[in-house]
């Protein structure tokens, strides 16, 4: 926070600077509303909160009237992105493809966010964090890393559902184990099978499932983790100056994705207890209880670059600065690594033939 900037308390219903009348934006550095024209700062109450509701798969059909009145939703005709525009929106260009072909939709369906992880990096600092974040990415072209050709940086909150639950799993199965035994003529490999059965308890918290129509689970995974302890009770002031994408997947769909992830985690945890070569059969029955959720907004920067006449939308965590997918890849580096891999395989085959 700049020491010479005046701080004042501001009602959340006010969107204009009391000193000069300009619009206010959320400033990640001071965690206040800031006037870009005169630099005045206006703190607002920030409540740390990550509380969750008991899981109700029908809750998404309940619209929040105040949320609908305060915001509107636009849809890009070019790429189909649905973006929530708050009263402080500075543009209606699509944050993903920059198209101006957006149409205002009549209603903002669904529920109001419960929590938001505020941006921790300013747009001014985002470029430097991006340049530093790509230095260790080997496959990115050196020319791109030395001088990232950034055209625009856009701040966007992406929708996600955050799940907690406790689980109890019963399981049974048949595993196979290869072992080497001695024979009169030397050794040979034999396979023995054995049965497993038991119970397994697993509790999880803060399992984030994105609900974006422009990102997928792998996109989110590449920029994780988010520090959930910094989650705050939702307030429109966090959104001022940023885009907010509307969720596209229903709670029940996101819940199913969460369950599938948890089932895979539980299976891996169970099998890790045993020494085996491969699975012959495996069955598990998981019962979940004390299930909870909240609707969480996550900060994301879209770093738009133009490299060799091609547009790139690179994702960057707006809280930690971690750079994710969307970067250009050097064909030369990929070829070199592939050739090294092939040569290593050939070398191992030749060594095996010589020793054999």
């Amino acid at each position: 926070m700049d020491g010479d900037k005046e701080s004042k308390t501001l009602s959340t219903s006010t969107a204009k600077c009391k000193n000069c009348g300009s619009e206010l934006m959320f400033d990640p550095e001071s965690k206040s509303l800031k006037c870009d024209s005169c630099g005045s700062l206006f703190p607002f109450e920030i409540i740390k909160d990550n509380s969750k509701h008991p899981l109700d798969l029908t809750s998404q059909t309940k619209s929040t009237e105040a949320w609908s009145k305060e915001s509107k939703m636009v849809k890009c005709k070019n790429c189909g992105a649905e973006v929530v525009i708050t009263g402080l929106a500075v543009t209606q260009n699509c944050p993903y493809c920059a198209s101006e072909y957006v149409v205002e939709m009549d209603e903002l369906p669904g529920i109001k966010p419960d929590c938001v992880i505020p941006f921790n990096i300013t747009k001014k600092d985002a470029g430097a964090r991006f340049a530093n974040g790509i230095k260790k990415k080997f496959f990115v072209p050196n020319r791109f890393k030395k001088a990232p050709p950034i055209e625009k940086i856009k701040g966007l909150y992406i929708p996600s559902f955050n799940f907690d639950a406790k689980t109890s799993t019963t399981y049974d199965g048949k595993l196979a184990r290869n072992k080497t035994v001695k024979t009169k003529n030397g050794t040979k490999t034999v396979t023995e099978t054995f049965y497993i059965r038991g119970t397994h308890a697993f509790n999880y918290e803060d399992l984030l499932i994105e609900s974006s129509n422009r990102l997928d689970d792998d996109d989110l995974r590449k920029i994780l983790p988010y520090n959930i302890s910094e989650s705050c009770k939702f307030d429109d002031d966090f959104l001022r100056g940023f885009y907010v994408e509307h969720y596209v997947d229903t709670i029940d769909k996101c819940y199913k994705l969460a369950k599938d992830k948890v089932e895979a985690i539980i299976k891996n945890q169970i099998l890790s207890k045993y020494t085996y070569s491969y699975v012959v059969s495996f069955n598990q029955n998981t019962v979940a209880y004390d299930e909870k959720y909240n609707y969480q907004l996550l900060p994301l920067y879209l770093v738009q670059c133009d490299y060799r006449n091609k547009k790139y939308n690179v994702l960057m965590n707006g809280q930690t600065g971690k750079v994710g997918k969307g970067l250009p890849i050097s064909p030369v580096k990929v070829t070199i690594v592939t050739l090294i891999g092939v040569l290593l395989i050939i070398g191992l085959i030749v060594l095996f033939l010589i020793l054999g």
Side-chain angles (χ1 to χ4, degrees):
M1 183 183 299
D2 295 336
D4 58 344
K5 303 301 181 186
E6 184 179 5
S7 293
K8 297 183 179 180
T9 301
L10 178 77
S11 169
T12 56
S13 62
T14 304
K16 302 289 184 180
C17 176
K18 291 183 178 180
N19 295 326
C20 69
S22 298
E23 291 186 342
L24 301 173
M25 308 295 174
F26 175 71
D27 176 42
E29 184 177 15
S30 64
K31 297 296 187 292
S32 303
L33 295 182
K34 183 176 182 179
C35 177
D36 279 347
S37 296
C38 69
S40 296
L41 296 174
F42 299 87
F44 62 95
E45 184 179 17
I46 295 177
I47 303 173
K48 293 287 183 69
D49 183 34
N50 187 38
S51 58
K52 297 182 178 68
H53 315 282
L55 184 65
D56 177 6
L57 298 181
T58 65
S59 62
Q60 199 162 5
T61 62
K62 303 172 185 176
S63 178
T64 304
E65 184 177 355
W67 173 233
S68 300
K69 288 181 178 179
E70 294 164 359
S71 309
K72 61 184 177 182
M73 187 163 65
V74 294
K75 183 173 183 178
C76 179
K77 288 183 178 180
N78 185 44
C79 71
E82 294 182 356
V83 180
V84 177
I85 301 295
T86 67
L88 259 289
V90 294
T91 177
Q92 288 189 10
N93 287 14
C94 176
Y96 291 102
C97 68
S99 172
E100 295 182 357
Y101 294 99
V102 293
V103 293
E104 184 174 342
M105 304 179 77
D106 293 332
E107 296 180 355
L108 183 66
I111 57 176
K112 183 177 181 176
D114 298 301
C115 305
V116 54
I117 296 179
F119 275 86
N120 198 41
I121 302 169
T122 66
K123 282 187 180 181
K124 182 179 178 180
D125 294 334
R129 294 291 291 268
F130 176 79
N132 186 60
I134 64 176
K135 286 180 179 179
K136 295 182 180 180
K137 293 186 177 293
F138 175 78
F139 288 105
V140 175
N142 291 336
R143 179 181 170 188
F144 185 95
K145 289 195 285 188
K146 288 179 181 178
I150 298 172
E151 285 193 323
K152 292 181 181 179
I153 297 178
K154 297 181 179 180
L156 171 72
Y157 284 104
I158 57 173
S160 71
F161 289 98
N162 189 2
F163 296 97
D164 293 356
K166 299 175 182 178
T167 70
S168 177
T169 301
T170 57
Y171 67 90
D172 61 74
K174 184 178 181 181
L175 307 181
R177 181 165 47 215
N178 295 330
K179 56 187 293 187
T180 302
V181 297
K182 292 182 179 180
T183 66
K184 293 180 180 180
N185 300 320
T187 61
K188 70 174 182 177
T189 300
V190 297
T191 300
E192 62 179 17
T193 59
F194 58 100
Y195 292 91
I196 59 171
R197 182 187 299 273
T199 60
H200 184 79
F202 175 65
N203 303 334
Y204 62 91
E205 294 182 350
D206 298 321
L207 178 58
L208 292 171
I209 303 295
E210 57 79 24
S211 184
S212 167
N213 68 345
R214 300 297 298 171
L215 276 67
D216 57 31
D217 184 64
D218 191 51
D219 291 328
L220 177 61
R221 184 176 59 83
K222 292 293 176 63
I223 59 173
L224 289 177
Y226 280 96
N227 184 0
I228 300 295
S229 67
E230 296 299 314
S231 179
C232 298
K233 183 178 180 180
F234 177 78
D235 190 311
D236 284 338
D237 285 342
F238 288 115
L239 312 185
R240 299 188 187 280
F242 296 94
Y243 290 93
V244 187
E245 186 182 355
H246 187 59
Y247 61 77
V248 293
D249 291 329
T250 56
I251 291 178
D252 56 340
K253 182 175 180 180
C254 290
Y255 173 66
K256 183 180 183 305
L257 292 173
K259 281 186 65 177
D260 290 344
K261 277 191 172 185
V262 170
E263 290 281 2
I265 292 171
I266 292 172
K267 181 178 180 180
N268 288 334
Q269 288 183 348
I270 292 172
L271 292 176
S272 68
K273 300 176 183 179
Y274 303 95
T275 301
Y276 65 97
S277 300
Y278 58 91
V279 177
V280 179
S281 63
F282 185 81
N283 302 296
Q284 68 185 65
N285 180 35
T286 299
V287 177
Y289 56 100
D290 198 16
E291 296 176 289
K292 300 176 182 178
Y293 86 99
N294 64 28
Y295 172 22
Q296 183 104 226
L297 297 181
L298 306 176
L300 173 78
Y301 275 118
L302 282 174
V303 184
Q304 299 176 330
C305 303
D306 188 344
Y307 180 67
R308 293 189 172 180
N309 298 320
K310 185 176 180 180
K311 304 291 185 181
Y312 293 88
N313 279 337
V314 188
L315 309 179
M316 187 173 77
N317 188 313
Q319 182 191 38
T320 67
K322 184 177 179 180
V323 179
K325 292 175 65 176
L327 290 162
I329 301 298
S330 169
V332 174
K333 292 184 179 181
V334 172
T335 301
I336 291 173
V337 171
T338 303
L339 287 175
I340 291 174
V342 171
L343 290 173
L344 285 173
I345 293 173
I346 293 173
L348 291 173
I349 293 173
V350 170
L351 181 62
F352 177 80
L353 291 174
I354 292 173
L355 296 177

